[in-house]
Amino acid sequence: MQIVLSVLSFDENNDPDVPALIAGSIALCLSNIPWNGPIASCLVGLIENEFVLNPTYEAVGKSTLEFTVAGDGTNVIMLEAGAGEINEEKMLSAITFANKHIRQVVEFIKKIENEARPVKLTLPSNKLTSENMLEEDGKSLDDLFRKTKKFLDENSRKYIFDSLKATKRERLDLLASLERALDEYLVQ
């Protein structure tokens, strides 16, 4: 799934990325789409050796750290940083600082979701694997690998070394013809 949020207006002092991510998380929580959220994010600055939550553009200009963290309050799922020299301890402290605030936003989103009680879609189970599908056809992955190896052993020289392939287009055409031939061979 992909969510695209367009900023139509903002105060020109605060970066709209953080509220946009939170808005997307709330939208998914209130929709009928099943997902493993909610998530939230925040921007962490470091000014005069103190962390600043969601600093303004002006404050970011004074900061030695511009650090966006996204997660669910327990797990971090995304980090994006711009910084001067900052040691690992300080970065870890910044993540801990961010997670504390992210956790509060996630709890707030969960309250909204619990009040709205959206009915989520039930998606069909995706438990079928390639192995299961092959076995239904009476074939196993081992058989498929053996057959593929045999084909490549018998035909790779003909396709790859029969003439000089000087251009990328010729090499791509070669791969496409080899793929077609392998598909035809495997279907037999």
Side-chain angles (χ1 to χ4, degrees), residues 3 18-29 35-42 69-78 99 101-110 113:
I3 297 174
V18 168
L21 186 141
I22 294 168
S25 181
I26 293 171
L28 280 173
C29 283
W35 76 300
N36 295 327
I39 61 171
S41 71
C42 68
V69 181
D72 63 7
T74 303
N75 302 299
V76 173
I77 59 171
M78 190 271 311
N99 251 350
H101 295 285
I102 288 170
R103 192 173 303 111
Q104 293 171 352
V105 176
V106 166
E107 290 306 316
F108 173 70
I109 296 171
K110 286 179 180 178
E113 184 177 24

Side-chain angles (χ1 to χ4, degrees), residues 95-161:
I95 294 170
T96 303
F97 174 82
N99 251 350
K100 180 177 81 172
H101 295 285
I102 288 170
R103 192 173 303 111
Q104 293 171 352
V105 176
V106 166
E107 290 306 316
F108 173 70
I109 296 171
K110 286 179 180 178
K111 284 181 188 175
I112 294 171
E113 184 177 24
N114 287 337
E115 286 179 23
R117 294 191 176 135
V119 177
K120 300 292 186 179
L121 293 173
T122 303
L123 299 176
S125 173
N126 196 12
K127 300 258 185 213
L128 280 179
T129 63
S130 307
E131 183 76 33
N132 293 352
M133 292 168 65
L134 285 169
E135 286 176 1
E136 286 177 11
D137 292 339
K139 301 174 186 173
S140 74
L141 280 178
D142 288 338
D143 292 338
L144 185 62
F145 287 136
R146 271 193 294 282
K147 197 170 182 182
T148 302
K149 184 175 179 349
K150 180 181 179 212
F151 174 83
L152 291 174
D153 288 345
E154 293 172 357
N155 294 285
S156 59
R157 288 191 178 281
K158 176 177 86 174
Y159 281 94
I160 296 172
F161 300 113

Side-chain angles (χ1 to χ4, degrees), residues 4 8 28 32 35 63 86 122:
V4 178
L8 302 177
L28 280 173
N32 65 350
W35 76 300
S63 179
I86 295 178
T122 303

